[in-house]
C-alpha cells in the first residue's frame, strides 16, 4: 500500500551510546549541553563538535544512588577515552530532516483510512515526549469523533494554543539542492549527516575511510537528492579512491544538469509549466519525486490536470492517456519525461510540440516501461492443491532411486558371507556404480524425456519431472563413486547418455550442470563453472539453451546464464558472470561481474611461463592419459572399496561392543565413539598418504596426467572420500572431537597447511591445498570463500602459493587465486576475486584493487572469536549428541522389533529391505532429524535474533556462532532434499521468517530467518545466500533483509541485512550489492550490483490439460477428436502442395477493410502466405472474420497445413488496430478461448506476428509475417 511505501522511506539509523561511570564526561553543575541542540531564534545552528559528545546522568536502578552516565557520540563512540567498565547500548530512531517532514505530511494525509492511525514522537516535532503525547491526543480525538462521540475531558487541551500554532502554514521543503546551497555543499552535508564525516572538497574518497555500508548510504542519498539513476551516477565512482569530493561534485553537476547558480526552471519550460498546473490545482508545488498516488488526486482533479496538460502542450489522448495518472508508481518527474518525449515526437510549429497526432504505436519512455509491474503466474486453487500433492509424491522418488541403485549391490553382498563380501568389495563398487548410472539414465528418459526450451509453470507437470530428475542426479553424484569421477571419460559418457551434447575430449564437472538437454559443449572444452540454462521468476520456469564452442575453458565458480553463446577458444575466469543472452567472440578472455573482455590485468603469461599459442585445452600425451585413467579406476574401484570395507567393519565391531555391554540406550549415548575412532583412523591414513606420496608440496608446474598428478589424485580422493566424509558423519552424531575447531585446525596443519590459531576460516575452504596456503593471524574467511592454488594451463598442472598477513578479511563468496599475497590489513570484499597481490590496507572490489579498506580501520578482534566459536561448537555438539543418541536408540529398538517379525523372510527379500531402509534414511529420516535439530537449536540455544550492532567480545556472539554451526547440517540434509518445494518455505517460516504467498525457494542458504521478509510471488534462486548479518573486524551487524513482491535472485546471489530488493527487482547470479543498497525495480547484476536494464517478463505458461478438461468436459472431448483428425490431416496434406484457391468473397469486404490489412504477407519460417483483406470486416465491433480456406495459401507441404485448411478465426482488434485476440472455429465447433485462441500483434507497417495461445497461456511459438505485395 501507499502507507507501507511511505513508512519504508523513513530513515531509521541504528545508533549506539556508551554506559559508564567515568565522571569526567559530565558537568553536574551545568545543563548547557542539553540546550545546544535547540538554538534560540536567530542563532546560527550549532556545530557537531558543540553538541557531541553529549553525556547525561542517571541513578542506578539497583541502589538508586550510584551514578550511571550515558555518552552519545554516534559513530565515534569507540574512540572515546572512558575509564573503567563500560557497556554499549544500540537503539534505532527516526532521523529528523526535511525529507522526514515531507513523509510526515504524506502519512498524515491518510490518517484514519482503513481505520489506521499513526501516532508517536516520530510523527511530529523533534521526537520529544511531549510530541508523542500530543500526537496520541490527536489520534484519540479523531477516533472518538469518527464514532460520533465528543472527546472525553481528559483528552482535551486545558489551554488552547494560538491559531497560528494550531494551524501553521504548510512548509514545502525545497528538493533542488541548489536552492539550499551548491552541489558541493550538499555533498559535504550528506557526508556529515549520514556518516558523521566532516570533510572538505580537497579530500579524496580513499582518505575518508568509507565502509561499504557508508558508500551504499551516501550513494543512495545523492541519487535521491539530485534525481540521478545508476547509469548517470553509478556506485563504482566511489571506488576511484584518488577522486576528490570536488571532482565528485563536478561529476554530479554534469550528470544532473545542476549548476552553482539557481536551478529554478525557466519560464516556458516543461518543468515550469507542469509544476504551475499542479500548483494551481493543488495549492502547492509538488516534488519531482512525489508519486501521483501520493498527491491524493480526486477524479475531478485528474480530469482537470489532464485537460490542462493536453491543451497547454497540444497533445492527443493517444500519446498522453488519462490512464497515465492511474499508475501509482509514476512520479511527477516521470510525467514530465512523458510529456517531453511525446512533445518532441509530434510535429508542428508550436512551442512545446505540434498540432499533429502522434502515431498510434508511440510507446512510453523507458523509465515508465522499466517500472511496469510484472505479471505473476497464479494457478487456480485446484491446480495449487494438486501441485502440493505432486510435490509430496516427488519427494519420495529420490528415495526410490537410491533404493533401486543399492539393491543390486546389496543382493550381491547378501549372497555370500561377509568375509567374501569384503574380498569382493571392488566388484560390489563396480556393480553399485553401474546400477546408479543405469537407473539414473532410465529415470531421466522415462520420467522427463528430452527437455526443450520454453516456459512452464512452477510445479506444473514438466517442472515436477525436471525436479525429480535433478534430485536423482544429486543423489547419484553425492552418494556414489560418480562424485569423484570429474574429468574422466566415464563421466562424459554418462552426461551424453543424459542428453548433453558433449564433444570429443570435453569435460563438465558433475556439479556444474542440471539441465543436460539444453547444453552443448564443443570438442576439447573444460567446464568447471556452472551452466544455468534455467530461470524461475514470478511462478514461471524459463528454459533456454547454452552453447560452448571448442577448446574453451570455463574456470571454477564462473556462471554462464541462459541463452548465452560462447565461441571457440574462449577463456572465462573464476567467479566471472556471463549474463543471459550474451555472446562471447572467438579467442577472447573474460573476467568480472558482469563479464568484460580481458586485456592486461590477468593473462596466461602471469600465471604460467610461456603460454602456448595453441588452443587452451590441447590433448596431453596419450600414454600419460591412459596411466591417469588406470590410476583413477584403481583408486575408485580397488583402494577405496577395500578401505571403506575396513572402516565399516571397524565401526560395526566398536558399535557391537558398546551394544553388548550397554544395550541400545548405551549405544545411543556413545554413538559418537565408533564414528570418531573410525574418522580418526581415516584422517591418519590420509595424512600419511600425503606425506609419503606428495611430501612437501611446493610451487611449480607438472605435466598434466603425469606422475605427480596421479599421486595427487590418490591423496585428494583419500582426503575427500574418507577423511572429510567421516568428519562430517562424526559431526552429525555430535562428536565432541569433530565439532571442535581446534581439532579441525590440527587436521588442516597435519595436511601441510599453515594457519595461526586465532584465525577463523570458512568450512568451504578446500582441504586439498596442502602446503600451498599460509594463513596469518587474525584472519577471517567468510562463508563460501575459496582459495584456489591449483590450476591446469595448457598441458601442465600449475601450483601457486597463497599467503596472507595478519588482520586479513576475505568476504562471502570471494576467491583468492594462486600466486596472490594478501598483506597485513588487506581485504577481499564479498563476491570479489583477487587476481594479483593486495598491498597493505588495500581492498579488492570485484576484480579491482582499490586503495582503501571498506571494512573500517578499527582494531581487529578476530582472535577473541576462536574461543567463542569453540564454545559454540561444543554447545551445538551437545544438542546434536542428545538428538543423535535419541534417534539411534529409538531406531535400534524399533529395528529389533521389526526384525523379530521378519526374521523368516526369504533371503531374496533382504537386499530389498536393506536398500529401502537406506533410501528412506537418506531422504526421509535424516532430513527430519536435521530439521528437528535446526528448530531446537533456534528456540533453545539461539533464540530471537536481534538487530543492531553486536560487539565481537560480547556473549551474544556465542549464540550467533551457534546458529552458524547448524548451517552446514541444514544445507546438506534439509535444503538439498526439500529444496524447490513448499516444504522449504514452510521450514523457514517455522524458524521465524516472514514469507508471502506463492514464494519459491530453491536450496537457499539463510541465516537469522526471523530477520527475513519476502513478498508475494518472489523467487529465490538456487544457492542464493540471504545473510541478515555482516561481520566486520570489531562487531557483527544484523538488520532486517527485505525482498519485495515479484522479485527474483539468480544462482549463488548474495543479499545482506539492510539491503532492500524492491518490488519487481531482479538480482543476477553471482551478484551482490554494497550492504545497505536499495535495489529499485529493474535487473541488477555484478559487484557492486548495478542496474543494467528492465526486468524480463516471462511468458505465461499453459494451465494443465486435465484442469481445462474439468472446466470444459464436452469441448475437451470434441477437441480430442479434432486433434486426432488434424494429426491425420497433416499426414495426408502435409506432404504435397496445397493451393487454397476457394476464396469466398464477401460483399464489399475488401473495400471496407482498413488499409493496413491489405496485401500479401509471407511467413518467415513456413512456406505459407496469408491475406487479411479476404476476411469480412465488422467496423462497428472492430472484428475481422477469416473463414475457412479464404486467408492462406501454401506453395508446398508443411506441418500445420491441415489446420490452415479446416480452421477459421474471428479476430477482435483493439482501438489502435495493433493487437487482436482471435477465436478459433473448426467446422461447426466454436473452440472455447480457454482451450485455444490466436494472438496477433502488428510489429510495424509491413509485418504481423501471430501465435496460438493454448490453455490460457501465452503463445510458446510465434510466426512472423512480412508484407511482400
Amino acid at each position: 500500500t501507499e502507507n507501507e511505501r511511505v513508512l519504508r522511506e523513513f530513515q531509521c539509523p541504528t545508533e549506539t551510546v556508551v554506559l559508564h561511570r567515568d565522571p569526567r564526561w559530565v558537568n553536574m553543575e551545568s545543563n548547557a549541553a542539553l540546550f545546544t541542540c535547540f538554538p534560540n531564534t536567530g542563532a546560527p545552528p550549532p556545530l557537531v563538535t558543540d553538541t557531541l559528545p553529549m553525556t547525561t546522568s542517571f541513578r542506578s536502578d539497583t541502589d538508586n544512588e550510584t551514578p550511571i552516565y550515558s555518552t552519545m557520540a554516534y559513530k565515534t563512540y569507540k574512540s572515546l577515552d572512558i575509564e573503567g567498565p563500560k557497556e554499549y547500548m544500540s537503539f534505532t530512531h527516526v532521523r529528523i530532516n526535511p525529507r522526514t517532514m515531507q513523509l510526515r505530511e504524506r502519512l498524515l494525509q491518510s490518517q484514519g483510512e482503513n481505520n489506521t492511525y499513526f501516532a508517536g514522537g516520530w510523527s511530529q516535532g523533534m521526537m520529544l515526549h511531549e510530541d508523542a503525547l500530543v500526537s496520541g491526543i490527536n489520534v484519540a480525538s479523531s477516533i472518538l469523533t469518527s464514532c460520533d462521540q465528543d472527546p472525553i475531558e481528559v483528552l482535551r487541551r486545558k489551554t488552547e494554543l494560538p491559531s497560528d500554532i494550531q494551524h501553521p502554514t504548510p512548509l514545502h521543503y525545497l528538493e533542488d539542492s541548489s536552492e539550499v546551497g551548491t552541489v558541493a555543499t550538499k555533498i559535504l552535508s550528506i557526508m556529515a549527516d549520514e556518516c558523521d564525516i566532516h570533510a572538505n572538497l580537497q579530500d579524496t574518497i580513499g582518505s575518508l575511510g568509507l565502509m561499504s555500508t557508508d558508500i551504499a548510504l551516501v550513494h543512495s542519498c545523492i541519487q535521491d537528492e539530485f534525481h540521478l539513476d545508476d547509469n548517470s551516477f553509478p556506485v563504482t565512482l566511489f571506488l576511484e579512491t584518488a577522486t576528490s569530493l570536488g571532482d565528485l561534485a563536478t561529476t554530479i553537476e554534469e550528470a544532473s544538469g545542476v549548476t552553482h547558480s539557481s536551478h529554478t526552471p525557466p519560464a516556458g519550460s516543461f518543468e515550469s509549466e507542469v509544476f504551475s498546473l499542479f500548483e494551481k490545482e493543488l495549492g502547492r508545488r509538488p516534488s519531482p519525486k512525489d508519486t501521483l498516488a501520493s498527491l491524493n488526486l480526486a477524479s475531478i482533479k485528474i480530469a482537470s490536470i489532464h485537460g490542462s496538460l493536453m491543451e497547454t502542450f497540444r497533445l492527443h489522448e493517444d500519446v498522453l492517456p488519462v490512464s497515465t495518472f492511474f499508475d501509482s508508481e509514476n512520479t511527477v518527474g516521470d510525467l514530465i519525461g512523458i510529456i517531453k518525449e511525446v512533445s518532441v515526437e509530434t510535429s508542428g510549429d508550436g512551442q512545446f510540440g505540434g498540432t499533429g497526432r502522434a502515431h498510434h504505436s508511440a510507446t512510453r519512455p523507458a523509465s515508465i516501461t522499466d517500472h511496469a509491474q510484472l505479471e505473476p503466474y497464479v494457478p487456480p486453487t485446484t491446480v495449487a492443491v494438486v501441485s502440493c500433492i505432486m510435490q509430496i509424491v516427488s519427494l519420495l522418488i529420490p528415495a526410490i532411486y537410491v533404493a533401486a541403485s543399492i539393491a543390486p549391490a546389496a543382493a550381491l553382498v547378501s549372497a555370500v558371507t561377509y568375509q567374501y563380501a569384503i574380498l569382493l568389495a571392488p566388484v560390489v563398487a563396480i556393480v553399485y556404480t553401474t546400477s546408479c548410472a543405469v537407473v539414473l539414465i532410465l529415470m531421466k528418459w522415462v520420467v522427463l524425456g528430452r527437455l526443450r526450451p520454453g516456459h512452464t509453470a512452477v510445479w506444473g507437470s514438466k517442472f515436477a519431472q525436471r525436479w525429480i530428475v535433478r534430485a536423482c542426479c544429486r543423489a547419484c553424484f553425492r552418494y556414489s563413486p560418480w562424485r569423484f569421477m570429474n574429468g574422466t571419460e566415464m563421466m562424459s559418457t554418462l552426461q551424453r547418455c543424459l542428453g548433453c551434447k558433449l564433444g570429443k575430449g570435453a569435460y563438465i564437472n558433475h556439479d556444474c550442470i542440471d539441465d543436460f538437454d539444453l547444453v552443448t559443449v564443443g570438442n576439447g572444452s573444460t567446464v568447471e563453472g556452472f551452466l544455468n540454462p534455467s530461470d524461475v521468476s514470478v511462478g514461471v520456469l524459463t528454459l533456454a539453451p547454452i552453447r560452448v564452442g571448442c577448446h574453451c575453458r570455463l574456470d571454477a565458480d564462473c556462471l554462464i546464464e541462459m541463452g548465452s553463446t560462447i565461441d571457440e577458444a574462449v577463456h572465462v575466469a573464476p567467479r566471472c558472470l556471463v549474463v543471459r543472452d550474451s555472446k562471447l567472440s572467438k579467442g577472447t578472455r573474460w573476467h568480472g561481474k558482469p563479464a568484460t573482455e580481458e586485456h592486461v590485468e590477468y593473462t596466461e603469461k602471469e600465471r604460467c611461463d610461456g603460454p602456448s599459442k595453441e588452443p587452451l585445452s590441447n590433448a596431453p600425451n596419450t600414454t600419460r592419459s591412459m596411466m591417469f585413467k588406470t590410476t583413477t579406476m584403481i583408486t575408485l574401484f580397488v583402494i577405496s572399496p577395500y578401505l571403506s570395507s575396513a572402516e565399516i567393519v571397524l565401526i560395526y565391531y566398536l558399535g557391537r561392543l558398546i551394544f553388548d555391554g550397554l544395550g541400545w540406550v548405551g549405544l545411543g549415548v556413545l554413538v559418537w565413539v565408533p564414528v570418531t575412532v573410525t574418522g580418526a583412523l581415516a584422517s591418519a591414513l590420509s595424512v600419511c598418504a600425503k606425506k609419503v606420496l606428495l611430501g612437501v608440496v611446493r610451487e611449480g608446474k607438472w605435466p598434466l596426467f603425469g606422475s605427480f598428478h596421479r599421486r595427487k589424485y590418490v591423496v585428494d580422493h583419500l582426503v575427500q572420500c574418507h577423511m572429510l566424509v567421516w568428519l562430517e558423519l562424526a559431526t552429525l552424531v555430535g562428536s565432541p572431537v569433530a565439532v571442535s575447531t581446534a581439532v579441525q585446525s590440527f587436521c588442516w596443519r597435519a595436511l601441510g597447511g599453515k594457519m595461526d590459531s586465532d584465525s577463523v576460516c570458512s568450512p568451504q575452504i578446500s582441504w586439498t591445498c596442502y602446503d600451498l596456503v599460509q594463513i596469518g593471524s587474525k584472519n577471517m574467511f567468510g562463508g563460501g570463500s575459496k582459495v584456489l592454488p591449483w590450476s591446469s594451463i595448457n598441458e601442465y598442472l600449475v601450483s601457486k602459493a597463497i599467503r596472507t598477513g595478519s588482520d586479513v578479511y576475505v568476504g562471502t563468496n570471494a576467491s583468492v587465486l594462486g600466486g596472490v599475497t594478501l598483506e597485513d590489513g588487506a581485504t577481499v570484499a564479498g563476491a570479489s576475486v583477487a587476481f594479483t597481490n593486495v598491498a597493505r590496507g588495500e581492498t579488492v572490489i570485484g576484480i579491482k584493487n582499490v586503495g582503501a579498506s571498506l571494512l573500517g580501520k578499527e582494531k581487529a578482534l578476530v582472535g577473541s572469536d576462536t574461543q567463542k566459536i569453540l564454545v559454540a561448537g561444543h554447545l551445538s555438539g551437545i544438542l546434536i549428541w542428545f538428538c543423535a543418541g535419541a534417534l539411534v536408540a529409538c531406531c535400534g529398538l524399533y529395528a529389533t522389533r521389526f526384525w523379530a517379525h521378519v526374521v523368516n523372510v526369504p533371503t531374496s527379500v533382504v537386499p530389498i529391505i536393506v536398500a529401502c531402509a537406506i533410501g528412506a534414511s537418506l531422504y526421509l529420516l535424516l532430513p527430519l532429524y536435521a530439521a528437528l535439530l535446526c528448530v531446537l537449536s533456534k528456540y533453545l540455544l539461539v533464540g530471537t535474533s536481534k538487530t543492531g550492532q553486536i560487539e565481537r567480545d560480547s556473549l551474544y556472539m556465542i549464540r550467533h556462532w551457534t546458529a552458524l554451526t547448524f548451517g552446514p547440517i541444514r544445507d546438506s540434509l534439509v535444503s538439498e532434499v526439500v529444496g524447490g518445494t513448499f516444504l522449504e518455505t514452510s521450514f523457514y517460516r517455522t524458524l521465524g521468517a516472514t514469507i508471502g504467498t506463492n514464494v519459491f525457494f530453491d536450496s537457499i542458504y539463510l541465516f537469522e530467518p526471523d530477520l527475513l521478509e519476502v513478498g508475494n510471488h518472489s523467487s529465490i534462486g538456487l544457492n542464493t545466500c540471504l545473510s541478515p548479518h555482516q561481520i566486520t573486524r570489531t562487531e557483527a551487524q544484523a538488520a532486517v533483509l527485505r525482498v519485495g513482491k515479484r522479485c527474483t535472485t539468480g544462482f549463488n546471489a548474495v543479499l545482506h541485512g539492510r539491503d532492500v530488493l524492491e518490488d519487481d527487482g531482479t538480482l543476477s547470479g553471482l551478484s551482490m550489492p554494497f550492504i545497505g543498497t536499495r535495489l529499485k525495480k529493474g535487473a541488477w547484476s555484478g559487484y557492486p550490483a548495478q542496474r543494467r536494464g528492465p526486468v524480463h517478463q516471462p511468458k505465461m505458461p499453459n494451465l494443465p490439460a486435465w484442469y481445462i478438461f474439468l472446466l470444459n468436459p464436452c469441448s475437451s472431448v470434441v477437441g480430442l477428436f479434432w486433434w486426432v483428425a488434424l494429426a491425420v490431416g497433416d499426414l495426408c496434406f502435409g506432404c504435397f502442395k496445397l493451393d487454397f484457391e476457394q476464396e469466398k468473397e464477401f460483399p464489399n469486404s475488401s473495400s471496407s477493410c482498413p488499409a493496413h490489412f491489405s496485401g500479401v504477407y509471407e511467413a518467415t519460417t513456413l512456406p505459407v502466405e496469408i491475406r487479411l483483406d479476404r476476411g469480412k470486416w465488422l467496423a462497428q465491433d472492430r472484428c475481422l472474420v477469416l473463414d475457412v480456406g479464404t486467408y492462406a495459401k501454401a506453395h508446398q507441404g508443411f506441418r500445420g497445413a491441415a489446420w490452415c485448411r479446416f480452421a477459421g478465426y474471428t479476430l477482435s482488434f483493439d482501438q489502435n488496430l495493433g493487437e487482436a485476440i482471435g477465436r478459433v472455429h473448426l467446422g461447426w465447433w466454436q473452440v472455447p478461448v480457454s482451450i485455444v485462441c490466436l494472438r496477433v500483434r502488428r510489429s510495424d507497417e509491413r509485418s504481423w506476428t501471430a501465435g496460438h495461445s493454448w490453455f490460457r497461456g501465452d503463445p510458446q511459438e510465434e510466426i512472423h509475417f512480412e508484407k511482400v505485395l
Side-chain angles (χ1 to χ4, degrees), residues 264-535:
T264 303
S269 68
F270 294 98
E271 294 88 343
S272 177
E273 292 293 335
V274 174
F275 286 143
S276 298
L277 290 174
F278 272 98
E279 189 171 12
K280 179 180 178 181
E281 297 291 342
L282 302 178
R284 66 183 182 90
R285 192 182 186 89
S287 162
K289 293 191 301 181
D290 288 342
T291 61
L292 298 178
S294 68
L295 301 179
N296 295 322
L297 297 174
S299 58
I300 297 178
K301 292 287 186 184
I302 291 177
S304 177
I305 294 174
H306 178 253
S308 299
L309 292 173
M310 300 283 286
E311 181 179 355
T312 301
F313 299 102
R314 295 190 292 278
L315 302 174
H316 195 272
E317 173 71 23
D318 288 346
V319 296
L320 186 67
V322 71
S323 58
T324 305
F325 290 82
F326 302 149
D327 190 343
S328 60
E329 298 297 333
N330 287 352
T331 65
V332 177
D334 293 333
L335 183 64
I336 294 172
I338 297 175
I339 296 173
K340 282 184 178 180
E341 178 166 332
V342 298
S343 296
V344 172
E345 288 179 354
T346 54
S347 59
D349 55 1
Q351 178 184 2
F352 297 103
T355 58
R357 180 175 177 178
H359 193 272
H360 65 82
S361 62
T363 58
R364 294 191 299 173
S367 60
I368 302 298
T369 304
D370 292 354
H371 286 76
Q373 177 176 309
L374 291 176
E375 179 185 355
Y377 169 76
V378 182
T381 303
T382 304
V383 177
V385 172
V386 173
S387 295
C388 291
I389 298 174
M390 190 183 305
Q391 294 176 57
I392 295 175
V393 174
S394 298
L395 288 170
L396 302 176
I397 306 301
I400 296 174
Y401 164 75
V402 172
S405 301
I406 293 176
L412 178 61
V413 172
S414 62
V416 297
T417 62
Y418 76 91
Q419 294 92 343
Y420 283 106
I422 294 175
L423 292 176
L424 294 176
V427 179
V428 174
I430 294 174
V431 170
Y432 175 52
T433 303
T434 305
S435 63
C436 284
V438 171
V439 175
L440 180 61
I441 294 170
L442 292 175
M443 188 78 69
K444 194 271 180 187
W445 293 107
V446 172
V447 174
L448 178 60
R450 184 168 294 280
L451 191 63
R452 303 183 185 279
H455 304 266
T456 184
V458 170
W459 280 109
S461 58
K462 182 61 67 174
F463 184 96
Q465 295 165 348
R466 172 183 176 270
W467 186 92
I468 290 172
V469 173
R470 190 182 73 166
C472 293
C473 288
R474 291 182 178 181
C476 175
F477 297 137
R478 185 178 182 185
Y479 298 117
S480 75
W482 290 103
R483 176 179 180 180
F484 308 101
M485 298 174 69
N486 281 332
T488 64
E489 189 60 36
M490 292 180 63
M491 176 63 74
S492 298
T493 302
L494 175 61
Q495 292 169 344
R496 292 187 187 101
C497 293
L498 293 173
C500 182
K501 303 174 187 65
L502 201 59
K504 183 179 180 180
Y507 301 102
I508 306 177
N509 286 358
H510 65 73
D511 52 354
C512 297
I513 182 173
D514 283 335
D515 302 303
F516 297 92
D517 300 295
L518 301 177
V519 173
T520 302
V521 179
N523 299 336
S525 293
T526 302
V527 178
E528 297 178 1
F530 190 73
L531 304 176
N532 187 27
S534 64
D535 176 67

Side-chain angles (χ1 to χ4, degrees), residues 1212-1232:
S1212 299
F1213 283 85
D1214 62 0
Q1215 183 177 2
N1216 297 323
L1217 303 183
E1219 294 186 6
I1221 296 179
R1223 184 160 185 173
V1224 182
H1225 50 88
L1226 293 167
W1228 54 266
W1229 180 43
Q1230 295 290 331
V1231 185

Side-chain angles (χ1 to χ4, degrees), residues 6-53:
V6 174
L7 290 172
R8 281 198 290 264
E9 290 187 36
F10 278 89
Q11 296 181 9
C12 302
T14 299
E15 310 292 0
T16 303
V17 297
V18 186
L19 303 178
H20 59 92
R21 296 178 57 186
D22 188 352
R24 299 178 303 157
W25 282 89
V26 64
N27 184 355
M28 302 300 293
E29 298 178 358
S30 173
N31 289 325
L34 297 178
F35 301 101
T36 55
C37 292
F38 311 104
N40 296 325
T41 303
L47 300 175
V48 175
T49 54
D50 296 332
T51 61
L52 295 176

Side-chain angles (χ1 to χ4, degrees), residues 3 106-113 116-119 135 139 142:
N3 286 339
R106 290 169 57 183
L107 198 61
L108 295 179
Q109 287 175 359
S110 61
Q111 191 82 296
E113 292 184 3
T116 303
Y117 295 84
F118 302 94
S135 69
V139 169
S142 299

Side-chain angles (χ1 to χ4, degrees), residues 764-901:
Q764 290 92 344
I765 290 183
S766 175
W767 287 65
T768 57
C769 299
Y770 308 126
D771 307 89
L772 297 174
V773 176
Q774 301 177 13
I775 299 176
S777 63
K778 299 180 181 178
N779 282 206
M780 172 66 75
F781 284 74
S785 57
K786 292 186 177 181
V787 290
L788 305 172
W790 299 99
S791 61
S792 57
I793 301 176
N794 298 331
E795 298 185 9
Y796 292 95
L797 176 67
V798 181
S799 65
K800 295 283 187 179
I802 297 175
R803 302 177 180 87
T804 69
S806 61
D807 191 19
V808 170
Y809 265 57
V810 179
T812 304
N813 285 354
S815 296
V816 183
L817 299 190
V820 172
T821 297
L822 306 179
E823 297 185 4
D824 296 347
T827 300
V828 181
S832 299
V833 181
F835 284 94
T836 58
N837 294 339
V838 184
R840 182 183 183 90
E842 279 191 345
T843 298
V844 180
I845 301 177
I847 58 175
K848 182 179 181 181
N849 292 15
V850 297
S853 174
L854 298 186
L855 293 176
K857 300 179 180 179
E858 302 89 349
K859 181 180 178 182
L861 296 176
V862 181
S864 63
D865 283 338
T866 53
Q867 293 81 14
K868 292 181 175 58
I869 295 175
L870 184 64
V871 173
H874 285 289
L875 189 63
S876 59
I878 292 174
L879 178 61
I880 297 174
W881 180 12
F882 173 80
C883 293
L887 179 67
V888 170
C890 294
C891 291
L893 292 173
Y894 177 79
T896 301
R897 296 178 181 179
F898 175 78
W899 193 255
H901 292 85

Side-chain angles (χ1 to χ4, degrees), residues 990-1071:
T990 304
L991 295 179
T994 303
I995 302 174
T997 57
N998 295 326
V999 173
F1000 176 77
F1001 284 1
D1002 192 1
S1003 303
I1004 69 171
Y1005 304 136
L1006 174 59
F1007 307 93
E1008 296 92 16
D1010 41 4
L1011 299 181
L1012 174 67
E1013 298 177 4
V1014 182
N1016 301 336
H1017 310 296
S1018 291
S1019 302
I1020 310 300
L1022 179 64
N1023 293 349
T1024 292
C1025 178
L1026 303 179
S1027 175
H1029 72 268
Q1030 177 208 12
I1031 299 179
T1032 67
R1033 283 177 162 80
T1034 59
E1035 61 200 3
Q1037 302 173 352
V1040 176
L1041 169 57
R1042 293 184 176 90
V1043 178
K1045 301 175 182 177
R1046 303 174 299 279
C1047 294
T1048 303
T1049 65
F1051 170 80
N1052 217 5
V1054 179
L1055 286 170
H1056 286 91
R1058 290 193 286 175
D1059 289 341
V1060 178
L1061 182 57
E1062 293 189 350
D1063 297 350
D1064 302 308
T1066 298
L1067 181 64
S1068 295
L1070 289 187
S1071 299

